[in-house]
Amino acid sequence: MVSDVHGNARDLARAGQGADALICLGDLVLFLDYADHSRGIFPDLFGVENADRIVELRTARRFEEARAFQSRLWAGIGEDRAGAIEKAVRKQYAEMFAAFPAPTYATYGNVDIPTLWQEYAGPGTTVLDGERVEIGGRIFGFVGGGLRTPMRTPYEISDEEYAAKIEAVGEVDVLCTHIPPEVPELVYDTVARRFERGSRALLDAIHRTRPRYALFGHVHQPLVRRMRIGATECVNVGHFAAGGRPWALEW
């Protein structure tokens, strides 16, 4: 199981070795690597110095300044912003989906563009969002995307829409989401030094339906990677882009 792949196609190609299936919890796209500002769509378009500046502004939570800075950069691009981003994302998706083994079960992250996935997902890849599937005799539920933030990443939805998808999944053995439940220890990023957005609806569902596992990613350097909530083992499966190692779920 992997999450937050962010362009790491090399390790992704090996992630499913020896497993019955690969599960991916989203964020295939690498827009900007906060550890290496030379990697990603943003520095490819605007250069490393501008990437350094945008990371500085966002880390300081100066989001309005960051948006104004980006607007000035985009004004200098000949083609429209959406077209430039889509072209770069398509290149990354072609590499990522080609690396998926069969079978793969995947849902979207907050930086993904769902409308493009069906173009690249091969017959061995099943994309699920607000849906259930049986894998190895167990019922898995999948809910993709993130909740709205000042970062305005591509696949952020309202709390109400997210809660509806959680409700649609219902009772499952394993609940797979991109974002974690809203628990301070699970949503705090120790390197970014901020609380990411977790879902209260997801936390309520864990209390109510008591899945055996709740698995997620999104927070790259969490304060706590694993904790039990009632009968449910909650696990951040890891920042795959950095470590290149999948997390194994064994029965």
Side-chain angles (χ1 to χ4, degrees), residues 2 14 35 52 64 76 84 91 107 114 129 154 173 183 191 204 245 248:
V2 300
R14 300 191 294 263
D52 291 340
E64 290 299 329
K91 182 174 183 292
T107 196
D129 188 16
D173 298 305
V183 177
V191 174
D204 291 343
R245 294 182 300 275

Side-chain angles (χ1 to χ4, degrees), residues 143-150 155-168 179-182 196-204:
V143 175
L147 298 175
R148 288 178 181 154
T149 72
Y155 190 38
E156 294 181 355
I157 60 177
S158 69
D159 290 58
E160 293 75 18
E161 186 178 352
Y162 194 89
K165 292 197 295 185
I166 292 287
E167 185 67 24
I179 63 174
E182 192 181 74
E196 302 290 353
R197 286 220 59 192
S199 169
R200 181 70 198 185
L202 173 56
L203 179 60
D204 291 343

Side-chain angles (χ1 to χ4, degrees), residues 131-184:
E131 300 164 281
R132 302 149 54 100
V133 67
E134 183 179 330
I135 306 173
R138 311 292 187 196
I139 302 300
F140 286 67
F142 290 80
V143 175
L147 298 175
R148 288 178 181 154
T149 72
M151 302 286 279
R152 299 182 183 177
T153 52
Y155 190 38
E156 294 181 355
I157 60 177
S158 69
D159 290 58
E160 293 75 18
E161 186 178 352
Y162 194 89
K165 292 197 295 185
I166 292 287
E167 185 67 24
V169 165
E171 294 187 14
V172 294
D173 298 305
V174 184
L175 186 50
C176 300
T177 60
H178 178 66
I179 63 174
E182 192 181 74
V183 177

